[in-house]
Amino acid sequence: MIKDKVVLITGASSGIGEAAAKLIASKGAKVVLGARREDKLKQIADEIKNAGGEAVYQALDVTKPADNEAIVKLAKDSFGRLDAIFLNAGLMPVSPVSAVKTDEWKQMIDVNINGVLNGVAAVMPTFTEQKSGHILAVSSVAGLKAYPGTAVYGGTKWFVRDFMEVLRMESAMEGTNIRTATLYPAAINTELLDTITDKGSADGMQQVYDAFGISPDRIADVVAFALDMPEDTNVSEFTVGPANQPW
Ligand SMILES: NC(=O)c1ccc[n+]([C@@H]2O[C@H](COP(=O)([O-])OP(=O)(O)OC[C@H]3O[C@@H](n4cnc5c(N)ncnc54)[C@H](OP(=O)(O)O)[C@@H]3O)[C@@H](O)[C@H]2O)c1
């Protein structure tokens, strides 16, 4: 049941994170919002509270371990416990390898991989001790197969897939009742394309999203479904995208 669950969401200031926060808060979850843009988080938390929900927020850079630990503390101080984390923060400055955009490669590795690891490290002691917890993460259809132009982005998302599956298996073996859910979205209309600096990649992606993109509310529905499953059941993978996109 979602109601009264305390759920920490990274990358909650726009797109999928914002949509998930609003939906699960409307279903009674107590949400803890993190991202770098504090003004956006405040606005979203205010909207949730005005609609009768419960939300707190704090500036979070997922690449900084101390920030991740601090927002877990905020969740526990505000609501007494933490039940789930939605590891959603991510960047997609895609380009062909021949463009050699090494700074963007590093940035994607830092946010999309290290950010996930930092979030997991921050919740693991709590979830292990309480023998329950739910870890949800966003990979991508680019984490399921290879697409030209997304060598590094895709690599970070393949990492998420492997890591989450091993985490699920180890949790079952260790009897810690830590459940996992990995989401593989296709084209979802958010701010994700804004960080693309390679013009050819930006134009190509924009065409795909213009042709196929659907609302982040669809991904929020899946997050809510996963959170709502009974404690004895793990639905570990969800591939979700526009019905007319042959991803
Ligand atoms: N949209 C799609 O088609 C699609 C498809 C597959 C997978 N995904 C994945 O879905 C996730 C959410 O993306 P989105 O589509 O909703 O795009 P978005 O609107 O750009 O949202 C990305 C979120 O990540 C946050 N973020 C970025 N760097 C961060 C950092 N260092 N620390 C903390 N937060 C950070 C951003 O907030 P701040 O800038 O305020 O920090 C923002 O809230 C990403 O992991 C993305 O790879 C999206």
Side-chain angles (χ1 to χ4, degrees):
M1 289 286 290
I2 292 188
K3 190 163 162 37
D4 293 329
K5 269 193 179 150
V6 180
V7 183
L8 167 52
I9 301 176
T10 73
S13 60
S14 64
I16 292 169
E18 175 181 358
K22 287 177 177 167
L23 179 69
I24 67 172
S26 76
K27 292 174 180 284
K30 298 169 182 176
V31 294
V32 183
L33 313 178
R36 292 165 305 172
R37 288 171 294 174
E38 228 178 322
D39 53 332
K40 294 269 297 176
L41 295 178
K42 180 182 183 318
Q43 196 185 315
I44 294 162
D46 284 347
E47 250 183 79
I48 288 171
K49 285 186 270 187
N50 289 339
E54 289 189 69
V56 294
Y57 66 91
Q58 187 162 293
L60 164 72
D61 181 340
V62 292
T63 68
K64 296 182 177 156
D67 278 16
N68 290 270
E69 284 154 23
I71 199 163
V72 168
K73 184 172 182 315
L74 174 72
K76 290 179 169 179
D77 289 348
S78 306
F79 299 123
R81 59 173 202 283
L82 181 62
D83 299 303
I85 185 168
F86 180 32
L87 301 161
N88 164 73
L91 298 174
M92 192 184 72
V94 287
S95 58
V97 177
S98 56
V100 198
K101 290 190 177 272
T102 53
D103 286 348
E104 293 180 353
W105 298 350
K106 286 185 190 138
Q107 201 187 5
M108 283 188 276
I109 291 166
D110 219 17
V111 176
N112 301 358
I113 295 182
N114 289 328
V116 165
L117 293 177
N118 290 336
V120 171
V123 298
M124 214 55 192
T126 303
F127 286 0
T128 304
E129 193 194 318
Q130 70 196 14
K131 280 198 184 293
S132 82
H134 206 161
I135 300 178
L136 300 89
V138 187
S139 174
S140 165
V141 287
L144 295 172
K145 52 188 183 181
Y147 296 89
T150 70
V152 178
Y153 177 75
T156 66
K157 297 301 186 177
W158 280 71
F159 167 83
V160 172
R161 179 190 190 191
D162 177 74
F163 179 87
M164 291 293 284
E165 177 61 2
V166 173
L167 178 59
R168 182 194 67 74
M169 295 171 83
E170 288 183 357
S171 149
M173 289 159 68
E174 292 170 1
T176 47
N177 299 315
I178 298 170
R179 293 182 294 152
T180 64
T182 311
L183 282 66
Y184 303 91
I188 310 298
N189 292 326
T190 65
E191 298 176 13
L192 192 67
L193 306 192
D194 293 359
T195 59
I196 305 176
T197 60
D198 179 75
K199 181 148 175 25
S201 302
D203 291 348
M205 281 286 182
Q206 195 59 58
Q207 277 177 19
V208 170
Y209 280 69
D210 286 348
F212 302 116
I214 55 171
S215 165
D217 293 343
R218 306 293 178 273
I219 307 298
D221 283 333
V222 174
V223 171
F225 174 86
L227 286 170
D228 220 16
M229 288 304 282
E231 293 283 325
D232 62 1
T233 302
N234 196 90
V235 185
S236 60
E237 298 201 303
F238 300 89
T239 304
V240 192
N244 63 349
Q245 183 187 4
W247 67 73

